[in-house]
Amino acid sequence: MNGAERIFSVTRQPLPPFEVCVQSGQLAVRQALRKVFEALRPLDLDVEEAGTIEIVLAEVLNNIVEHAYPPTGPAGPIAIHFIQQPDGLRVKVMDQGNKLPDEKVPLVTAAPLDVELQDMPEGGFGWLLIQHLAKDVTYARVGKENHLNMRLAVGLPS
Amino acid sequence: MELASKTEQDLRIVSVQDTRIDAAVAIEFKDAMRHQTDGGPDVVVLDLSRVEFIDSSGLGAIVAAVKHMGKGRKLALAGLTPTVARVFELTRMDAVFSVFPTLEGALAELKPQ
């Protein structure tokens, strides 16, 4: 194989399925993201792919540490599963905290931005980002657990 | 959350020294911005060139900071890295703020003529 061929035949190693577990809390999100990206290293993700995963997962986890396990109540476990499939990464996030309102993924629409500065929204961007970037987002309350499933169309096997 | 600031040609330049503006530091960031912008020049350029990641809480904190600055003042954003730029685009907040690819570009455009 000459040098040029080597450059153009970037082979991506297959990713073994993995699970990351953290305890909810103020630094849980950063800690979980660090562990996830450590485990994703075999995929050699580019900036855009890594950004997609980080944005989506940060928002999902922010929601859990703010609402499923509100800081005023007891902490609890958060588990994140990753499985690589031909159409991307299947991600499942589980916790044992409060369920989503109405037991479903909220339908979000972008807030109107053509408003006076003082009326600009300061929140509500989280689910908007998740729905822009994640595919096949489903939620189920299973016993006392929340299961959020989604697909991220990145890290496709080469 | 560390912010460095200086004033050049009637512009306050605030540079974020951390690599993340996320939920863990959003409140701290909001307070630090208040400290850096209160009583200063009307136009503030927020240099985000070291920031690799921002989440919805960080975005909310920037909106809160510009609201706190008040009417008649302006917050411009400069040096957005790829993932930060994407968060602004996806939430359409890139249309709300003046966004410049580089700090130099922002200063050239915004300095008093």
Side-chain angles (χ1 to χ4, degrees):
Chain A
M1 190 194 277
N2 65 32
E5 270 172 320
R6 229 175 289 140
I7 290 167
F8 290 109
S9 62
V10 178
T11 51
R12 210 162 227 179
Q13 294 171 44
L15 179 78
F18 68 90
E19 185 182 65
V20 161
C21 295
V22 294
Q23 192 74 358
S24 69
Q26 211 205 336
L27 292 172
V29 180
R30 286 187 178 193
Q31 191 191 356
L33 289 172
R34 257 198 313 271
K35 290 184 180 190
V36 163
F37 279 100
E38 182 88 5
L40 288 172
R41 204 176 285 169
L43 290 184
D44 198 18
L45 298 163
D46 64 31
V47 173
E48 189 173 349
E49 292 176 308
T52 298
I53 297 170
E54 189 162 19
I55 294 166
V56 170
L57 214 48
E59 298 304 341
V60 167
L61 296 172
N62 280 343
N63 285 337
I64 293 174
V65 301
E66 281 164 31
H67 304 297
Y69 299 119
T72 48
I78 304 169
I80 307 155
H81 283 270
F82 269 80
I83 296 178
Q84 187 185 34
Q85 292 197 334
D87 58 358
L89 300 173
R90 299 275 171 175
V91 184
K92 180 176 197 151
V93 183
M94 290 172 292
D95 67 76
Q96 298 168 6
N98 299 328
K99 60 188 180 192
L100 280 184
D102 303 325
E103 297 199 19
K104 60 183 183 197
V105 173
L107 263 183
V108 287
T109 46
L113 298 179
D114 53 346
V115 294
E116 284 290 309
L117 180 63
Q118 291 307 321
D119 300 323
M120 287 284 298
E122 289 175 36
F125 303 119
W127 281 107
L128 188 70
L129 288 167
I130 295 167
Q131 288 178 8
H132 268 300
L133 297 173
K135 320 274 184 206
D136 311 334
V137 181
T138 61
Y139 167 81
R141 181 76 175 177
V142 181
K144 289 185 171 175
E145 294 192 346
N146 297 310
H147 292 192
L148 189 73
N149 288 285
M150 60 202 161
R151 175 168 65 88
L152 300 172
V154 302
L156 305 180
S158 48
Chain B
M1 170 54 62
E2 198 188 328
L3 303 180
S5 86
K6 58 181 175 179
T7 302
E8 255 177 44
Q9 296 179 306
D10 274 338
L11 301 172
R12 169 68 45 95
I13 304 159
V14 179
S15 299
V16 181
Q17 305 294 299
D18 294 24
T19 57
R20 305 176 71 85
I21 310 177
D22 61 11
V25 296
I27 293 174
E28 223 183 300
F29 171 79
K30 206 157 44 172
D31 291 343
M33 276 296 282
R34 216 167 262 218
H35 187 71
Q36 299 291 355
T37 60
D38 275 358
D42 282 346
V43 182
V44 176
V45 182
L46 184 62
D47 170 16
L48 293 170
S49 56
R50 289 191 190 176
V51 180
E52 291 159 11
F53 183 73
I54 187 167
D55 69 3
S56 61
S57 305
L59 195 60
I62 292 181
V63 174
V66 70
K67 283 187 188 179
H68 177 77
M69 284 168 54
K71 268 205 158 88
R73 298 183 70 192
K74 180 186 170 97
L75 180 71
L77 309 175
L80 279 65
T81 60
T83 304
V84 173
R86 248 170 112 205
V87 168
F88 275 89
E89 283 157 22
L90 289 167
T91 55
R92 294 167 42 218
M93 295 305 274
D94 59 334
V96 172
F97 294 97
S98 305
V99 179
F100 298 91
T102 64
L103 180 59
E104 293 68 32
L107 299 183
E109 182 77 23
L110 296 168
K111 71 180 180 203
Q113 298 303 309

